[in-house]
Amino acid sequence: MKEKKTPKLTLVGAGPGDPELLTLKAIKALNEAQVVLYDALANEEILQHAPYAEKLFVGKRKGCHACTQEEINKLIVQKALQKGHVVRLKGGDPFVFGRGSEEIEYAESFDIATEVIPGITSAIAVPGSKGISVTKRKVAESFWVITGTTSNHKLSKDVELAARSTATVVILMGMGKLPEIVSIFKKYGKSSTPVAIIQNGTRKNAKHGFGTINTIEKVVEEEQLSSPAIIVIGEVVRHSSKLLEYFEDEFFEDEFLFQNLDIVPNFSN
């Protein structure tokens, strides 16, 4: 008689996109899984670490949902009771706008054991891939990570609060609300604030555009940027060594751009 597997849910963060940015603990969990439920932001290359598992796509993207959240919750329980160990593979970190806590709570209401394996959040890793440090001494003492679209499909009110601060602002799922975001930052006198938009960050097909609040909408149009992308707003953007060549061109048009740098770059070479 075949041994019945103990039901278990492991919530695994798939990281920002690059499959090599997966933790060793995540790989071990995938290798042991009987079922993997993966979302739209999880790189499918990661599934090779689950050779023995049934693999089901349950992704949600704007305007296209393979499953509703309620259906995903029920599927987790169903598969755990039928097959044993379910890995729920979620892009980035499962507790950063990933609704991971909802899935944990639902599974535990059926007395299913749960575990969380954190992932590298795209909110920090994607800016980092372009040399953008979300905090920097004498430049930014804190950072906000905000969802661009709330559960009622509106722009988060926290964007307006963040725009009043000197903190770095990282907005996820915000491309559809970019005109609103730009308008808010202009209202608070932030027209010259640098902005980076990075699409498919850390992946081979990554694209990016850099500008200021004044120019970023034009940049998005020229570079044909779209979701999934991360919006980074703040003085730290111009401090990236990878972006100095871009801001060199801007320097001669707006001396404000480098007035807060610890060391002014030498553009004479």
Side-chain angles (χ1 to χ4, degrees):
M1 184 170 129
K2 191 172 181 181
E3 182 183 355
K4 183 175 170 65
K5 301 287 186 180
T6 302
K8 180 181 179 180
L9 166 65
T10 302
L11 214 59
V12 173
D18 183 341
E20 293 184 358
L21 291 175
L22 193 66
T23 65
L24 293 174
K25 193 165 187 176
I27 291 172
K28 181 180 178 182
L30 286 163
N31 191 255
E32 296 172 349
Q34 274 79 49
V35 181
V36 176
L37 307 179
Y38 64 99
D39 73 14
L41 293 177
N43 192 323
E44 292 192 16
E45 290 182 42
I46 291 171
L47 297 176
Q48 66 182 324
H49 296 297
Y52 313 111
E54 177 186 5
K55 303 170 185 71
L56 299 172
F57 175 73
V58 293
K60 298 192 291 292
R61 282 275 179 87
K62 183 179 179 182
C64 182
H65 287 196
C67 295
T68 66
Q69 188 61 52
E70 184 179 3
E71 288 170 337
I72 293 170
N73 292 346
K74 290 179 178 178
L75 191 59
I76 287 170
V77 170
Q78 177 191 342
K79 291 296 182 180
L81 294 176
Q82 287 177 350
K83 295 197 172 184
H85 188 192
V86 174
V87 164
R88 177 71 171 100
L89 188 66
K90 303 172 79 70
D93 181 274
F95 283 173
V96 180
F97 306 127
R99 301 185 73 169
S101 59
E102 296 175 37
E103 295 172 359
I104 288 285
E105 290 164 7
Y106 190 83
E108 288 179 346
S109 73
F110 287 85
D111 295 322
I112 294 172
T114 64
E115 181 181 2
V116 178
I117 299 177
I120 298 173
T121 175
S122 58
I124 297 173
V126 168
S129 71
K130 296 301 177 186
I132 301 170
S133 173
V134 293
T135 62
K136 190 176 190 298
R137 188 170 61 91
K138 297 182 180 180
V139 179
E141 298 174 353
S142 62
F143 63 97
W144 294 60
V145 180
I146 306 173
T147 178
T149 307
T150 62
S151 57
N152 60 0
H153 307 294
K154 303 291 185 181
L155 181 68
S156 170
K157 293 180 180 178
D158 286 349
V159 172
E160 185 148 359
L161 295 174
R164 302 178 194 180
S165 76
T166 59
T168 304
V169 182
V170 181
I171 302 175
L172 312 185
M173 301 173 287
M175 290 298 285
K177 301 287 194 299
L178 185 61
E180 283 183 68
I181 293 166
V182 165
S183 177
I184 289 169
F185 275 81
K186 284 182 177 179
K187 182 170 77 171
Y188 290 101
K190 301 291 182 69
S191 295
S192 297
T193 300
V195 183
I197 294 183
I198 307 158
Q199 178 182 336
N200 292 318
T202 77
R203 293 179 181 243
K204 293 176 183 176
N205 62 339
K207 296 171 64 177
H208 59 259
F210 309 111
T212 63
I213 288 294
N214 261 340
T215 65
I216 196 61
E217 289 181 277
K218 182 180 178 183
V219 170
V220 165
E221 183 179 351
E222 290 174 347
E223 300 296 332
Q224 297 184 327
L225 299 173
S226 60
S227 298
I230 287 178
I231 304 167
V232 187
I233 305 171
E235 293 302 317
V236 293
V237 172
R238 73 170 101 258
H239 284 251
S240 167
S241 60
K242 296 179 183 293
L243 306 186
L244 286 180
E245 183 178 351
Y246 167 79
F247 284 116
E248 174 183 349
D249 296 334
E250 294 289 313
F251 177 75
F252 296 105
E253 298 175 11
D254 187 353
E255 64 180 6
F256 173 79
L257 284 172
F258 282 100
Q259 70 180 18
N260 293 320
L261 278 177
D262 293 333
I263 300 175
V264 177
N266 182 359
F267 296 136
S268 60
N269 295 335

